[in-house]
Amino acid sequence: MSSDNKRSNINSSDNSYIGKILKNGLSIDGLKYIAIIAMLIDHIGNAFVEEPVLLANIMYMVGRITGPIMFFAAVEGYHKTKNLRKYMLRLLAFALISYLPYIFAFRSSFNALRLNVLFTILIGVLAVYARRNIKNIFLKVLAIILLLIASTPMDYGTSGVLIILIFDYYYGNRKNQIFGYIIVASLNFGVLHFVTEPFWSLIYENNFDLSLIQDNYGELGYIIPALLLYTYNGKRGNNANFSKWLFYIFYPLHLTVIAIIRILLT
């Protein structure tokens, strides 16, 4: 192959979509768009695709992208918002709007303590505020513990709040943010079990059991956000006002549509 052809191939690869991402990185808006698509795939699978089929597991794996990216975006929002009070009130308002749609999108019966991820993000932002503004160490720890307890019935629950706190603690140091996230994902989301469980069964049962990987490989989707966050370029994006409201509006809207379809199908 001539040098001109080699150069042409290199240039064409650099101009590909993946090449541009690797070169320029993803903005926070780009990360949010990926999270929204992943969330929609996950929720459709959760509501309409019965397990244990390959499609359901793949959709579940894709869905694991959403939460960590939105937690990362929440920390970015905390540090870059012009009005923290309005930011938290906006989270509360849309959490309340999404309350009933979230319950009925995935369950046919009412459960008052099934709280959506916007409540989790709000509690996480409050925990960040407490960590940064309460001077007394004992009161700070107490406040965060109470917030962690309050997050128990919420989507992602205490794990989500911990991830938000870690993203904030290492704010400005992307590698440490990702490392901290991987630690939480490994311990709280069962990712580490994929490595250790077969060896545990080998040591104590004389059987190198791979059934955990075969049955629960969807949990490996929690690794994908770490790869995506590594590409973050620190920029907001080109359509700030549009993206600002997109997730807030899309979240209750798509849950409402799913809930209506499920009600009509029953």
Side-chain angles (χ1 to χ4, degrees):
M1 182 182 292
S2 68
S3 60
D4 289 340
N5 289 336
K6 290 180 180 179
R7 195 177 299 112
S8 175
N9 289 338
I10 292 172
N11 289 337
S12 63
S13 64
D14 287 344
N15 290 329
S16 68
Y17 183 71
I18 300 298
K20 289 180 180 179
I21 290 177
L22 293 175
K23 180 179 179 180
N24 301 322
L26 285 167
S27 67
I28 196 68
D29 289 349
L31 288 169
K32 284 183 180 179
Y33 297 149
I34 293 173
I36 288 173
I37 294 171
M39 176 178 63
L40 180 61
I41 292 172
D42 177 47
H43 287 176
I44 291 174
N46 194 326
F48 303 113
V49 181
E50 294 185 4
E51 297 180 355
V53 299
L54 176 63
L55 178 60
N57 286 329
I58 291 175
M59 296 175 83
Y60 177 84
M61 180 185 293
V62 171
R64 301 316 95 199
I65 296 173
T66 302
I69 288 180
M70 299 316 299
F71 300 147
F72 180 84
V75 173
E76 290 291 305
Y78 177 92
H79 287 279
K80 295 181 179 180
T81 185
K82 296 179 181 178
N83 191 318
L84 183 59
R85 181 173 176 271
K86 286 185 177 180
Y87 178 50
M88 290 192 288
L89 287 175
R90 188 162 58 246
L91 284 170
L92 176 60
F94 280 92
L96 292 172
I97 291 171
S98 306
Y99 176 64
L100 289 177
Y102 177 76
I103 291 175
F104 289 106
F106 310 113
R107 298 288 186 276
S108 56
S109 59
F110 179 78
N111 185 339
L113 288 180
R114 281 188 55 80
L115 301 178
N116 61 71
V117 74
L118 293 181
F119 284 107
T120 311
I121 293 174
L122 175 60
I123 292 295
V125 171
L126 287 171
V128 169
Y129 181 84
R131 190 188 77 80
R132 288 185 169 270
N133 291 277
I134 298 178
K135 303 303 180 184
N136 186 290
I137 184 63
F138 297 104
L139 292 178
K140 180 184 299 191
V141 171
L142 177 61
I144 292 176
I145 289 175
L146 291 175
L147 288 169
L148 287 169
I149 293 172
S151 70
T152 302
M154 300 173 185
D155 191 11
Y156 274 92
T158 55
S159 297
V161 177
L162 284 174
I163 291 171
I164 291 175
L165 284 168
I166 286 173
F167 282 151
D168 175 68
Y169 186 82
Y170 291 113
Y171 184 74
N173 188 323
R174 188 78 40 72
K175 291 182 179 180
N176 281 351
Q177 284 181 313
I178 293 172
F179 179 78
Y181 163 72
I182 290 175
I183 293 298
V184 174
S186 297
L187 297 177
N188 285 24
F189 301 145
V191 176
L192 189 61
H193 288 173
F194 288 95
V195 178
T196 61
E197 191 71 15
F199 291 96
W200 187 94
S201 63
L202 177 64
I203 293 170
Y204 293 102
E205 299 176 359
N206 297 319
N207 176 29
F208 195 70
D209 188 5
L210 297 176
S211 60
L212 180 71
I213 297 176
Q214 296 169 353
D215 297 336
N216 301 288
Y217 59 85
E219 305 294 345
L220 293 177
Y222 284 113
I223 299 300
I224 301 174
L227 304 176
L228 293 172
L229 293 178
Y230 188 77
T231 70
Y232 177 49
N233 58 20
K235 298 178 181 178
R236 175 64 188 271
N238 297 324
N239 299 304
N241 289 329
F242 173 77
S243 62
K244 175 181 178 179
W245 292 102
L246 176 63
F247 181 78
Y248 290 114
I249 295 173
F250 182 83
Y251 186 71
L253 180 62
H254 90 283
L255 289 175
T256 301
V257 172
I258 290 174
I260 291 173
I261 293 174
R262 288 191 75 251
I263 291 171
L264 292 175
L265 290 176
T266 57

